[in-house]
Amino acid sequence: ATIVALLCVGMFATFSLTLDGFLTASNIITLVRNVAILGVLGIGMAMVVIGRGIDLSIVPVMAVSVSLMFVLIASGMPVWAGFLLGLAAAVAMGAINGVLIAYVEIPPLFATLALGMIALGTGEYVVFKSSVVPVPEAASGMADFLTARIAGVPMSVIVFLGMALFVHLVMRKTHKGRYLYALGDNPAAARTGGMPVRPFILFQYGLVGVIAFVAGLLMASAVNEMNTRIVYSTLPYDVI
């Protein structure tokens, strides 16, 4: 991690000295905005990887849960109810991953890959009739809020930086953060030391579902739609 950070600093310094206009506030904001959604998903993936796991369903969970929310709102459901049901779907899919991994003891690679395929297939068959689900008119206010700027900084950047700071503090300052490092270092020793390994894995993957839902809202608000075919893009690998 230190080597990667030093390489990034070196590249940033080189571009700042050699490219006109690179070291400006507007350019820096544009750069961060372009990777904000990837960064939000990357935060969730980082937590899983630190805990010695992987989540190949993070993009399908994002696409299906947000699409479900839009379909429900478009059918006449209040925005708050559609939001809660979409969020609940994301948490439920994450929790299913946790159950399969922690209690059924299926390796994370296979459990999350299967969950992602099942979630997308079920969504395409039951929930949305098209791979492109537009933001409903009733939810346009929420989309406008998520694409607004505060003091010139896009909301997606604020959400990304805020989430990064929050997760950093959780990982460094709380017992749950220490649990995650212990789980990734040696699961058997963590269990012997009294850590509730299985419930924590369940919590971990449920939290990733929440993060995926937030990233989906940011993505859909930016383009005014959720395209479920993004599951077939390189985004899952970019996140990893």
Side-chain angles (χ1 to χ4, degrees):
T2 302
I3 294 175
V4 173
L6 291 175
L7 287 173
C8 290
V9 171
M11 291 174 63
F12 186 86
T14 301
F15 293 149
S16 299
L17 294 172
T18 58
L19 297 179
D20 293 335
F22 182 85
L23 192 60
T24 61
S26 60
N27 185 60
I28 300 304
I29 290 175
T30 299
L31 289 174
V32 178
R33 182 185 62 191
N34 290 339
V35 299
I37 296 169
L38 180 63
V40 171
L41 291 171
I43 289 171
M45 185 66 75
M47 295 176 66
V48 175
V49 171
I50 289 171
R52 193 175 284 197
I54 197 167
D55 190 351
L56 298 182
S57 69
I58 192 169
V59 176
V61 168
M62 174 190 74
V64 172
S65 59
V66 173
S67 296
L68 172 63
M69 171 188 165
F70 291 162
V71 169
L72 292 175
I73 295 174
S75 68
M77 181 175 290
V79 174
W80 65 267
F83 174 86
L84 291 178
L85 286 176
L87 177 60
V91 173
M93 287 184 279
I96 292 172
N97 277 331
V99 169
L100 293 176
I101 294 166
Y103 294 94
V104 185
E105 297 186 354
I106 298 175
L109 178 68
F110 303 118
T112 58
L113 177 61
L115 188 280
M117 294 173 65
I118 292 171
L120 182 63
T122 303
E124 290 179 338
Y125 185 74
V126 177
V127 181
F128 31 89
K129 298 180 176 62
S130 170
S131 59
V132 177
V133 184
V135 176
E137 186 65 29
S140 60
M142 180 186 65
D144 291 341
F145 173 75
L146 293 175
T147 54
R149 288 174 175 258
I150 297 178
V153 181
M155 184 61 68
S156 58
V157 174
I158 294 173
V159 172
F160 168 46
L161 296 178
M163 187 173 292
L165 177 61
F166 172 76
V167 171
H168 170 74
L169 293 176
V170 169
M171 296 292 290
R172 293 294 184 181
K173 303 296 183 181
T174 70
H175 67 278
K176 283 187 171 56
R178 292 191 291 272
Y179 279 173
L180 190 58
Y181 281 110
L183 176 64
D185 185 54
N186 192 324
R191 183 180 290 110
T192 302
M195 174 182 164
V197 171
R198 286 190 172 92
F200 189 78
I201 291 175
L202 181 62
F203 167 80
Q204 175 187 10
Y205 280 91
L207 181 59
V208 173
V210 174
I211 294 174
F213 183 71
V214 172
L217 291 178
L218 293 173
M219 178 179 291
S221 298
V223 297
N224 210 37
E225 66 183 24
M226 173 53 71
N227 190 337
T228 59
R229 291 193 175 276
I230 196 170
V231 173
Y232 304 113
S233 70
T234 61
L235 182 59
Y237 310 107
D238 294 338
V239 173
I240 294 172

